[in-house]
Amino acid sequence: MNRTLLRRAGIVLLVLLIGLGAAYAWRNTRAEGPGDGFIGGNGRIEAIEVDIATKQPGRIAEILVDEGDLVKAGQVVARMDLQALRAERAESVARERQARDAVAGAQAQLAMRRSDEAAAAALVVQRRSELDAAGRRLARSTRLAVDGATAVQELDDDRARVASAGAAVEAARAQQQAARAAVDAARAQAVGAESAVAAALATTARIDAELQDGILTAPRAGRIQYRVAQPGEVLPAGGTVLNLIDLTDVYMTFFVPETAAGRVALGTEVRVQLDAAPEFVVPARVTYVASVAQFTPKSVETASERQKLMFRVKAQVDRRVLERYASHVKAGVPGVAWVRLERSRPWPPTLALRSTP
């Protein structure tokens, strides 16, 4: 009798456990959300991360922000040790002044050589005039000598004068060519001096750019997430100093089954419910839909275990909402993204937009 009662009690208990298990399974596997015309996917809020890094190797002089600080775009967040660069800049400026002095000297030398060239040209004109006068005198002497009106000696002297004047013209031409060569050399020297000035200016500009790069600024507004390095550390080129998270560029990545992926288009309206505040609905829009299906990642939970091929979808949260409540935004918060597949269907009251805390 006792055994029969115990057997019956065990059967009743087993049936009760099976019923409870079935109810629990139904409650956890039944479709949740707004119903037909909508599809949802679990995901986490993610934000764009930016590493603030050094462009040149060097030592960190100071870091002006701490983890968790909100910064504005262009705000100075750290400075590198710039003593060596400042010394290089002073040297470059000195070389620039020296090059400018060389330009002034070269221009003065060029002016002097041009004067010499002008004097040589005038001398050539003078020697040609003397040669012309000597030639005319020789012509007269020749005619007089034929008539016997002048001495042969005077004719010889006139011939010698013509030869001397011709030699003087050639010498003056040689001097003129030398003066021209000197002008060309002076001009080349002036160009070289001006090039030295340009090179010094370029070096100074490069050093100024490196000095500016040594002042690290926030490339965009956001929150400092990590201080990767500390003052006094020596970093290589590209060494990360701070990690910044942009809280106005936030999105959620989730997965939808292949049966619904074809109905999700870019720009489709999305409503996001966060686990931390399910009563508030965050507006978003689809900005990416994968073109190739993939197996469901193990780290992502889906509404149905039977759907093995899923499409990744990215929903961008409305930037205006993020800018208004930037201090409340947290990355990594899990939630559910609901996509309206049929635009004719209204959003249910549970997904109506409300004021954000």
Side-chain angles (χ1 to χ4, degrees):
M1 184 66 178
N2 291 336
R3 290 183 178 178
T4 301
L5 293 175
L6 289 175
R7 188 182 300 109
R8 290 178 179 177
I11 293 174
V12 172
L13 180 61
L14 180 60
V15 171
L16 181 60
L17 291 175
I18 292 175
L20 291 175
Y24 178 81
W26 174 83
R27 186 181 64 183
N28 286 275
T29 58
R30 64 186 175 92
E32 298 181 355
D36 294 338
F38 299 87
I39 189 69
N42 294 348
R44 293 181 181 274
I45 289 293
E46 301 178 58
I48 298 297
E49 296 185 16
V50 179
D51 286 337
I52 302 176
T54 62
K55 188 174 181 179
Q56 303 293 334
R59 186 185 303 275
I60 302 174
E62 58 179 342
I63 298 178
L64 306 177
V65 293
D66 293 321
E67 294 179 350
D69 288 351
L70 289 173
V71 297
K72 299 179 180 179
Q75 178 179 336
V76 177
V77 294
R79 289 188 176 91
M80 304 297 291
D81 187 351
L82 304 175
Q83 292 183 359
L85 283 176
R86 292 192 183 98
E88 290 182 14
R89 189 184 189 282
E91 181 182 0
S92 178
V93 170
R95 289 180 177 176
E96 178 186 342
R97 289 196 297 265
Q98 183 180 7
R100 291 187 184 278
D101 293 339
V103 168
Q107 290 177 346
Q109 187 73 14
L110 177 60
M112 184 175 63
R113 295 306 179 190
R114 284 174 175 169
S115 298
D116 293 343
E117 182 185 13
L123 182 61
V124 169
V125 174
Q126 179 184 357
R127 297 308 182 194
R128 283 178 177 173
S129 298
E130 294 175 353
L131 176 61
D132 183 62
R136 289 196 299 270
R137 184 173 180 175
L138 176 60
R140 290 193 300 270
S141 299
T142 302
R143 288 194 299 270
L144 292 174
V146 172
D147 296 337
T150 184
V152 177
Q153 182 63 43
E154 186 175 353
L155 178 60
D156 292 340
D157 291 342
D158 290 340
R159 289 173 177 169
R161 290 189 187 95
V162 169
S164 177
V169 168
E170 294 300 327
R173 286 178 177 174
Q175 290 180 0
Q176 185 181 19
Q177 292 177 354
R180 287 176 180 173
V183 168
D184 293 339
R187 186 182 294 111
Q189 186 177 0
V191 172
E194 291 174 354
S195 299
V197 172
L201 288 173
T203 301
T204 303
R206 176 185 59 80
I207 296 174
D208 287 339
E210 292 180 359
L211 287 171
Q212 187 64 32
D213 291 335
I215 302 175
L216 305 184
T217 59
R220 58 173 70 187
R223 186 187 300 276
I224 299 299
Q225 188 170 211
Y226 303 112
R227 284 180 59 162
V228 182
Q230 299 299 328
E233 292 187 30
V234 177
L235 298 181
T240 302
V241 179
L242 298 164
N243 178 265
L244 172 71
I245 182 170
D246 185 356
L247 299 179
T248 62
D249 195 353
V250 175
Y251 60 92
M252 175 179 282
T253 300
F254 57 97
F255 292 81
V256 298
E258 56 182 341
T259 55
R263 302 171 63 186
V264 179
L266 297 180
T268 301
E269 191 175 0
V270 179
R271 301 286 172 88
V272 178
Q273 286 182 309
L274 301 178
D275 293 354
E279 68 277 13
F280 296 101
V281 179
V282 181
R285 290 194 178 274
V286 174
T287 57
Y288 171 81
V289 180
S291 301
V292 180
Q294 54 187 292
F295 289 100
T296 305
K298 295 181 179 180
S299 60
V300 177
E301 299 177 2
T302 60
S304 175
E305 292 292 334
R306 293 187 300 274
Q307 296 288 348
K308 298 302 181 182
L309 287 178
M310 310 290 286
F311 284 79
R312 186 165 69 93
V313 179
K314 179 180 176 182
Q316 192 79 25
V317 179
D318 192 336
R319 183 178 292 270
R320 292 172 297 180
V321 175
L322 296 171
E323 290 176 350
R324 185 177 179 184
Y325 302 101
S327 60
H328 298 279
V329 179
K330 301 291 187 296
V333 177
V336 181
W338 293 102
V339 183
R340 184 170 61 179
L341 301 178
E342 299 178 7
R343 300 185 62 180
S344 60
R345 288 182 176 270
W347 288 98
T350 55
L351 293 177
L353 297 178
R354 305 179 181 87
S355 60
T356 308

